[in-house]
Amino acid sequence: MSVPGVVLIGTIGAGKTTVAEGISDLLSRVGTRHALIDLDWLGQVYPPPDPGDPFDLSLSIRNLRAIWPNLRTAGVERVVLAATLTNEDELQMLRDALPEVEWRVVRIVASPAAVAERISAREKGGLLEDFLARTDELAAEIASAELEESTVSNDRSPQDAAAEVISLLGWLNLGT
């Protein structure tokens, strides 16, 4: 039996995790059992074990595959995942890791000023400099890959962006 899932993609600071948390809140309000996962959290090892994999995607995917049986046993009906995916091969890695999940891809975007502000507010030191230097190039790479079926702006409240994603997915009837 397949499980509906959404993967929110976008550059560093676009608000993928915050929008995912908003979606989780909306699903919780109606009692839909779901998994809320930030793929980056599953692979945070510094420095990265594979310099050719700066976001530790391979490690994150292996860890996701390892926890999936526990989530299924817990009765997960939806999956909400935030991830930095930049090409079809990376998306395919996700699909291969959890073949039970019927993934839909939504790209979260925000203005460069909002992205820089968010990154500056949460990061310090080397990560701040690295993320600020890479975010525009990463956003362009993600956009050119055209992995998404929809794009949602996060230059507003994350709750509004989350409600738009839920509406696009048809997961809830929230009204207007």
Side-chain angles (χ1 to χ4, degrees):
M1 177 191 285
S2 69
V3 176
V6 62
V7 56
L8 304 176
I9 64 171
T11 193
I12 304 160
K16 301 176 299 290
T17 301
T18 304
V19 172
E21 290 168 340
I23 294 169
S24 176
D25 182 56
L26 293 170
L27 292 173
S28 293
R29 287 186 203 176
V30 296
T32 301
R33 183 162 290 138
H34 62 282
L36 171 62
I37 304 164
D38 186 317
L39 198 59
D40 292 343
W41 294 343
L42 296 181
Q44 289 188 350
V45 176
Y46 300 104
D50 178 358
D53 187 5
F55 297 111
D56 290 320
L57 183 62
S58 295
L59 175 61
S60 298
I61 293 287
R62 287 193 311 272
N63 287 337
L64 179 62
R65 186 180 296 121
I67 66 170
W68 179 243
N70 296 329
L71 297 173
R72 286 300 285 152
T73 299
V76 165
E77 301 171 46
R78 299 278 189 279
V79 180
V80 179
L81 184 122
T84 305
L85 303 178
T86 62
N87 58 58
E88 185 62 44
D89 290 341
E90 292 175 351
L91 180 57
Q92 191 59 50
M93 286 173 63
L94 177 62
R95 289 180 176 135
D96 292 345
L98 302 184
E100 284 181 87
V101 179
E102 192 173 313
W103 292 109
R104 296 181 61 192
V105 181
V106 175
R107 183 164 53 104
I108 304 299
V109 297
S111 68
V115 167
E117 183 179 316
R118 291 172 187 158
I119 292 170
S120 296
R122 74 172 192 227
E123 303 298 341
K124 304 293 179 245
L127 281 180
L128 171 62
E129 294 168 15
D130 179 48
F131 286 0
L132 287 173
R134 288 193 299 156
T135 191
D136 289 342
E137 181 180 319
L138 183 60
E141 183 179 0
I142 293 167
S144 70
E146 299 180 347
L147 302 174
E148 71 277 0
E149 67 180 67
S150 302
T151 301
V152 171
S153 172
N154 192 25
D155 281 332
R156 56 189 165 160
S157 81
Q159 295 79 12
D160 287 346
E164 182 178 344
V165 172
I166 286 281
S167 177
L168 289 167
L169 298 172
W171 283 4
L172 295 177
N173 183 5
L174 298 173
T176 36

